[in-house]
């Protein structure tokens, strides 16, 4: 049973008369109602209790209150975490995703919670990252694209999500950027035009979006630049003409 504090104080206060620690920890001042208490349904109080008494965390891995289990998981010895890998609450499993040894991470790679899978992706060894490349959540795949070695990014170059392909465009080796020159997203094609080797820019000089052609004009070789001096878009023509003058000076 919980008791209220003062009339204007909403701090949960546990009923110490029902507590298993009333004759031990409470008696010697090692816990305090409203401040350091494992019984109150208060994350702050529970965390303070386990921070002082981490050895008691093992007693709460099957507790009925999800937050008590999640906080206990932060203080458990690593070798005691395995029973919580299948905990029904995602908050508990999120704690585990940060704490379990790398060799246990594959047991969480299909977790129903995307935050768990994101943490797994952030921690997996590089050689296992591609196991997450087909995850149904785009943000998980963004993390894959962020961490994969650049030589293995090709499989994500045609990902259905713009954010994933944008990350690929920012990291893929310059010599391979031509694979993404026809990407449907203008912003991604601009990144390609900004990073592509100047000698390869001709394939983008006729792009249907003038902002892409503008990026090309800023970096084009003299031969290609000359072809862009009469571009249909004024901003592109001005950029090409200004750069032509600079190169000719």
């Amino acid at each position: 049973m919980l008791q209220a504090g003062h009339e204007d104080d909403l701090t949960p206060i546990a009923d110490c008369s029902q507590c298993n620690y009333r004759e031990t920890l409470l008696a010697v001042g090692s816990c305090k109602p409203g401040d350091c208490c494992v019984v109150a349904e208060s994350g702050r109080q529970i965390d303070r209790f386990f921070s002082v008494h981490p050895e008691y965390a093992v007693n709460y891995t099957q507790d009925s209150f999800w937050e008590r289990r999640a906080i206990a998981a932060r203080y458990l010895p690593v070798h005691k975490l395995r029973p919580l890998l299948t905990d029904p609450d995602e908050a508990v499993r999120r704690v585990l995703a940060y704490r379990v040894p790398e060799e246990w991470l594959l047991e969480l790679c299909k977790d129903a919670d995307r935050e768990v899978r994101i943490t797994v992706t952030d921690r997996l060894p590089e050689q296992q990252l591609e196991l997450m490349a087909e995850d149904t959540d785009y943000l998980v795949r963004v993390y894959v694209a962020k961490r994969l070695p650049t030589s293995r990014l090709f499989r994500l170059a045609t990902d259905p999500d713009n954010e994933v392909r944008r990350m690929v465009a920012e990291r893929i080796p310059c010599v391979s950027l031509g694979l993404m020159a026809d990407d449907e997203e203008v912003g991604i094609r601009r990144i390609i035009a900004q990073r592509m080797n100047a000698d390869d820019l001709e394939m983008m000089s006729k792009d249907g979006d003038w902002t892409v052609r503008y990026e090309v004009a800023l970096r084009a070789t003299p031969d290609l630049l000359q072809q862009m001096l009469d571009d249909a878009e004024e901003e592109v023509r001005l950029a090409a003409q200004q750069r032509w003058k600079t190169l000719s000076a």
Side-chain angles (χ1 to χ4, degrees):
M1 178 185 297
L2 296 181
Q3 302 173 343
H6 294 99
E7 185 175 343
D8 297 327
D9 185 0
L10 299 179
T11 301
I13 305 294
D15 181 357
C16 297
S17 68
Q18 304 299 314
C19 181
N20 293 331
Y21 305 118
R22 64 185 180 279
E23 296 179 359
T24 53
L25 301 181
L26 182 63
V28 297
S30 289
C31 58
K32 180 181 178 182
D35 179 64
C36 176
C37 177
V38 75
V39 178
E41 291 196 352
S42 163
R44 177 183 62 83
Q45 295 183 49
I46 294 168
D47 188 70
R48 287 185 177 179
F49 179 88
F50 286 133
S51 68
V52 176
H53 305 290
E55 68 275 14
Y56 287 97
V58 70
N59 297 329
Y60 294 90
T61 59
Q62 302 300 316
D63 193 88
S64 60
F65 183 37
W66 67 268
E67 191 168 14
R68 197 172 286 117
R69 298 196 309 275
I71 296 171
R74 301 177 195 165
Y75 293 92
L76 283 169
V78 171
H79 70 278
K80 296 286 187 179
L81 290 173
R82 184 171 286 284
L84 291 172
L85 283 171
T86 55
D87 191 278
D89 196 279
E90 64 272 13
V92 178
R93 302 195 306 276
R94 288 174 186 177
V95 174
L96 264 66
Y98 281 106
R99 293 204 60 210
V100 298
E102 280 187 357
E103 55 268 27
W104 295 10
L105 287 174
L106 292 181
E107 297 179 51
L108 292 170
C109 71
K110 299 295 184 181
D111 194 274
D113 182 70
R114 85 164 182 176
E115 296 299 324
V116 171
R117 301 198 309 276
I118 286 172
T119 302
V120 168
T121 303
D122 203 34
R123 292 190 58 208
L124 274 176
E126 281 188 354
Q127 62 270 26
Q128 295 178 321
L129 266 176
E130 287 183 81
L131 294 173
M132 308 298 290
E134 295 182 5
D135 193 276
T136 56
D137 193 285
Y138 85 95
L139 197 52
V140 175
R141 302 196 305 276
V142 167
Y143 271 78
V144 174
K146 183 178 180 179
R147 291 196 57 220
L148 266 181
T150 56
S151 61
R152 290 158 57 191
L153 279 170
F154 305 101
R155 66 176 299 168
L156 293 172
T158 57
D159 190 274
D161 187 83
N162 291 345
E163 292 302 316
V164 177
R165 299 198 311 281
R166 183 173 287 109
M167 180 62 69
V168 174
E170 291 173 353
R171 297 191 61 231
I172 199 168
C174 292
V175 295
S176 302
L177 285 168
L179 295 173
M180 302 183 73
D182 295 323
D183 193 277
E184 63 183 27
E185 173 62 32
V186 171
I188 293 175
R189 299 202 304 277
R190 282 201 294 268
I191 295 173
I192 303 302
Q194 292 165 359
R195 295 191 60 226
M196 182 176 279
N197 292 328
D199 289 340
D200 298 327
L201 281 172
E202 185 171 1
M203 70 176 71
M204 306 197 74
S205 63
K206 303 297 183 183
D207 192 276
D209 189 277
W210 74 266
T211 62
V212 176
R213 302 197 305 278
Y214 179 87
E215 296 293 345
V216 173
L218 295 178
R219 304 182 54 244
T221 60
D223 288 345
L224 178 57
L225 191 61
Q226 191 170 26
Q227 299 174 34
M228 302 184 74
L229 294 174
D230 297 319
D231 190 274
E233 175 60 44
E234 181 180 13
E235 292 292 337
V236 178
R237 292 198 304 273
L238 290 175
Q241 291 165 8
Q242 180 59 46
R243 188 150 178 271
W244 182 260
K245 290 178 182 178
T246 301
L247 292 176
S248 301

